[in-house]
Amino acid sequence: MSSMSRRHLMFAATGIAAVAAAPRLVFAQAAAPAPTGPFTLPPLTYPTNAFEPHIDAKTMEIHHGKHHAAYVANLNNVAKTNPQLGTAKIEDVLGNLNALDDSIKFTVRNNLGGHANHTMFWEIMGPNGGKPEGEVLAAIDRDLGGMEKFQNDFNAAGGRQFGSGWVFVTVGKDGKLAIETRPNQDNPMMDGKRALMGNDVWEHAYYLNYQNRRADYLKAWWNTVNWAKIAERYAAAKAGTLGV
């Protein structure tokens, strides 16, 4: 082997070793492809590894880029023959599902519900989310028995939800809070209510890290909550302007 060939091999090996030793960085997903309809996948505003070790980057990538993206794709497919879905407010459609044709009602319920739930979910999570304060904390104390009881009751409700679903804190225009669960991708808007916040208890939200230990996931999830964003949603709910 010539000295030039040996030198090339040495440089190549050095490069491979440097790449292998480099720290693993995981950034927010690249922008989703241009939508083929009126519905779009909201981008994450934080890196996919922002919540490790509580929620791993791979789970975030799959949850956002595969599961939520699938709901969006399904909605855009339905909207091809039902363009009114793309122009109506999400809360109006989910609040009046019986107005839909039977041929699309089931698909819209599941996929528009999933789109609304996940849009809220990504919004109310964020690194360094702080603690509840002000009116939100006062409402938790008043309606849910204080922070410790609230978290225990919320986790218990999420643990009791059989199969797939969500645990929510609903909020009325009077600011009153309540803990409620919904199956599958149902959303409180289907009952004329609004979700202040909520946690996804579908297995795709936690199974890579927690397997069947949903209770451990529910406890760990509190480390990802963005209380400043929840305060914004609470103010909007009281003003009657909270949408998804």
Side-chain angles (χ1 to χ4, degrees):
M1 181 182 291
S2 69
S3 60
M4 181 65 72
S5 297
R6 285 196 296 271
R7 193 156 49 245
H8 284 167
L9 285 173
M10 288 175 62
F11 286 152
T14 301
I16 292 171
V19 170
R24 177 174 174 266
L25 297 177
V26 182
F27 295 97
Q29 279 188 279
T36 56
F39 296 94
T40 60
L41 178 68
L44 298 180
T45 59
Y46 35 75
T48 54
N49 66 342
F51 305 127
E52 291 186 343
H54 312 295
I55 301 177
D56 61 287
K58 178 57 70 174
T59 292
M60 290 294 293
E61 291 167 9
I62 295 171
H63 197 171
H64 177 262
K66 301 296 184 182
H67 290 281
H68 191 175
Y71 301 134
V72 171
N74 291 337
L75 288 170
N76 283 329
N77 189 50
V78 174
K80 291 177 182 177
T81 52
N82 298 271
Q84 74 279 7
L85 291 176
T87 59
K89 291 183 178 180
I90 291 176
E91 53 266 38
D92 291 340
V93 176
L94 291 181
N96 195 22
L97 286 170
N98 287 332
L100 298 176
D101 187 270
D102 286 344
S103 63
I104 65 170
K105 187 185 302 182
F106 181 77
T107 298
V108 172
R109 181 185 193 115
N110 289 337
N111 290 281
L112 192 58
H115 180 43
N117 288 341
H118 286 86
T119 299
M120 175 276 300
F121 190 59
W122 311 130
E123 179 181 297
I124 58 118
M125 291 164 59
N128 306 313
K131 296 180 180 180
E133 55 187 27
E135 290 193 343
V136 171
L137 181 58
I140 290 171
D141 290 340
R142 181 191 67 227
D143 300 329
L144 303 176
M147 194 63 188
E148 182 177 0
K149 184 177 187 302
F150 160 46
Q151 288 182 313
N152 288 337
D153 290 347
F154 186 91
N155 291 348
R160 288 193 302 268
Q161 172 59 39
F162 184 76
S164 301
W166 289 75
V167 53
F168 293 102
V169 175
T170 58
V171 56
K173 290 183 179 180
D174 59 356
K176 186 174 179 59
L177 306 181
I179 297 172
E180 303 183 17
T181 58
R182 295 290 188 283
N184 302 314
Q185 291 296 351
D186 282 6
N187 182 283
M189 287 185 284
M190 296 174 184
D191 302 322
K193 301 178 181 180
R194 291 292 184 273
L196 175 65
M197 58 184 290
N199 192 2
D200 188 348
V201 296
W202 282 64
E203 287 187 342
H204 65 231
Y206 62 87
Y207 206 81
L208 292 184
N209 254 12
Y210 296 94
Q211 289 80 52
N212 65 322
R213 295 177 286 111
R214 182 190 288 184
D216 291 344
Y217 159 72
L218 285 161
K219 292 177 182 177
W221 177 79
W222 290 101
N223 293 285
T224 75
V225 175
N226 183 345
W227 286 104
K229 182 58 67 174
I230 290 171
E232 292 177 13
R233 292 178 63 86
Y234 186 72
K238 292 184 69 175
T241 60
L242 180 60
V244 173

